[in-house]
Amino acid sequence: MPELTLFLCGDVMTGRGIDQVLPHPVDPILYEPYIRDARDYVALAEKANGPIPSPVGFDYVWGDAREALRRAAPHARIVNLETSITTHPVPWPGKPIQYRMNPSHFEVLHAAQIDCCVLANNHVLDWERDGLGQTLAVLHSAGIKTAGAGLDAAQAQRPAVLETTAGRVLVYACGHGSSGIPPEWSAGTSRSGVNRLPDLSTATARRIAEQCRAVRQPGDRLVVSVHWGGNWGYAVPAEQIAFAHALIDVADADLVHGHSSHHPKGIEVYRNRLVLYGCGDLINDYEGIGGYEAFRGELALLYLPRLGVRGELLTLRMVPVRTRRFRLQRASEEEAGWLRQTLHREGARFNTTVSLQDDGSLVLAWSASGNSA
């Protein structure tokens, strides 16, 4: 079986302001405490960095990332989609932030050749269960696999199966309450929703193993995608580390794909398996919003792990990008250096280091002692 290269990233939020600059935006009305019109997010971005030539093409937001992905030629492309794809007009009661994009804008995902959207997050039901139902229907009609949400618990807990030229990839997705997923969003026997974890215990990891075992075949690589933790801060709680290790030890995961943080966090290699504790946002409409400048949320990473035939990590290359006018651009040398320094610092507890390459990419290094933290 050939080696496998994946494209992974954190949150892709193509609703709200992003939706408004695309050709067929939904009604811009919002029910947020401070902003009631999604076009105001466009205005904030334009005030910060200049006009956005809307309407933009479906490939616009990906910018330089498309060429980077073309060169990397990953076998599968997996994103955490934090947006409801719907025209449903009623938001979830009491939810302070709402993301949605017009169903015709699914072409944004095709523009980057996305294979699988993880939906176990705290925004996919922003526009109620009707919005989730439409989201699932749109993605499946577009030929994009989904994981982590469904019309019932069985569908929400079922891994997505991606057929690639390097073998099958299973994507199991789940979310934890620490990321802001309300308990009532949990999928049930006859209720749509997300695969919300009851806790981060070894028993929960065993249940995940059972759910994956039902579809896993010899040679399959398993990615477990987890939405957990808050938006800001580099700390990785001990219970997240223990759960990531349990997913590898008990569920035989080949890669743990963590997200929710708005910036990249430290990286671990445990038993030769990659653990991404927080990938950071890739696409959002936060440009021009102040308050967390120290984290440099405008900077992001394309994660390109290469796995061996047994699922072991062979290499991890990361491509630094930055957002400007809602479009991804290759990061400058200074920006790439800042990301390298940050990952280097935060990886110290996991015995991982990061080097900056001549082409501007970042490469992870790890030691055998880093196989436990």
Side-chain angles (χ1 to χ4, degrees), residues 140-186:
H140 295 165
S141 295
I144 299 173
K145 300 291 182 68
T146 62
L151 300 179
D152 56 28
Q155 187 180 48
Q157 294 166 0
R158 186 178 304 127
V161 180
L162 310 183
E163 303 279 355
T164 82
T165 57
R168 299 202 324 169
V169 179
L170 303 188
V171 182
Y172 180 95
C174 50
H176 186 247
S178 59
S179 68
I181 302 174
E184 55 268 31
W185 282 20
S186 298

Side-chain angles (χ1 to χ4, degrees), residues 97-220:
I97 303 294
Q98 303 104 30
Y99 279 91
R100 65 173 170 170
M101 74 171 179
N102 192 304
S104 67
H105 291 168
F106 74 87
E107 293 287 357
V108 170
L109 300 169
H110 274 176
Q113 301 176 31
I114 301 305
D115 296 297
C116 180
C117 288
V118 168
L119 301 179
N121 57 59
N122 59 314
H123 285 293
V124 74
L125 270 83
D126 280 355
W127 296 87
E128 298 192 319
R129 289 192 162 85
D130 285 348
L132 172 60
Q134 192 171 10
T135 299
L136 291 166
V138 168
L139 292 172
H140 295 165
S141 295
I144 299 173
K145 300 291 182 68
T146 62
L151 300 179
D152 56 28
Q155 187 180 48
Q157 294 166 0
R158 186 178 304 127
V161 180
L162 310 183
E163 303 279 355
T164 82
T165 57
R168 299 202 324 169
V169 179
L170 303 188
V171 182
Y172 180 95
C174 50
H176 186 247
S178 59
S179 68
I181 302 174
E184 55 268 31
W185 282 20
S186 298
T189 304
S190 57
R191 183 181 69 181
S192 65
V194 302
N195 182 20
R196 187 180 186 273
L197 300 175
D199 53 43
L200 299 178
S201 67
T202 301
T204 295
R206 289 195 184 99
R207 283 193 291 271
I208 291 173
E210 293 171 2
Q211 291 158 1
C212 292
R213 195 175 297 123
V215 297
R216 195 169 190 178
Q217 298 176 3
D220 288 351

Side-chain angles (χ1 to χ4, degrees), residues 227-358:
H227 200 65
W228 55 8
N231 293 334
W232 305 102
Y234 293 107
V236 179
E239 67 170 353
Q240 289 186 8
I241 297 173
F243 189 65
H245 292 183
L247 289 172
I248 293 167
D249 292 336
V250 176
D252 200 23
D254 295 304
L255 192 155
V256 178
H257 172 219
H259 36 81
S260 181
S261 62
H262 287 335
H263 54 83
K265 301 177 77 169
I267 301 171
E268 182 181 17
V269 179
Y270 173 74
R271 291 183 52 202
N272 295 316
R273 266 49 180 184
L274 177 63
V275 180
L276 301 170
Y277 284 105
C279 288
D281 289 353
L282 183 63
I283 293 174
N284 61 37
D285 64 353
Y286 295 167
E287 195 173 348
I289 300 174
Y292 293 93
E293 288 84 355
F295 294 98
R296 301 193 69 170
E298 76 278 8
L299 304 183
L301 291 166
L302 313 178
Y303 296 82
L304 298 163
R306 184 168 60 94
L307 308 185
V309 296
R310 294 178 300 278
E312 73 278 15
L313 181 66
L314 300 178
T315 61
L316 173 62
R317 189 169 69 89
M318 297 164 281
V319 178
V321 292
R322 60 113 63 227
T323 299
R324 184 178 177 85
R325 294 188 293 173
F326 287 174
R327 184 177 184 273
L328 295 176
Q329 303 174 348
R330 284 298 294 258
S332 69
E333 183 177 355
E334 181 276 328
E335 291 165 338
W338 188 90
L339 284 167
R340 185 213 70 83
Q341 183 180 30
T342 300
L343 291 176
H344 196 80
R345 180 191 72 224
E346 297 305 319
R349 69 178 296 189
F350 303 117
N351 294 307
T352 58
T353 60
V354 176
S355 59
L356 178 60
Q357 306 298 294
D358 291 340

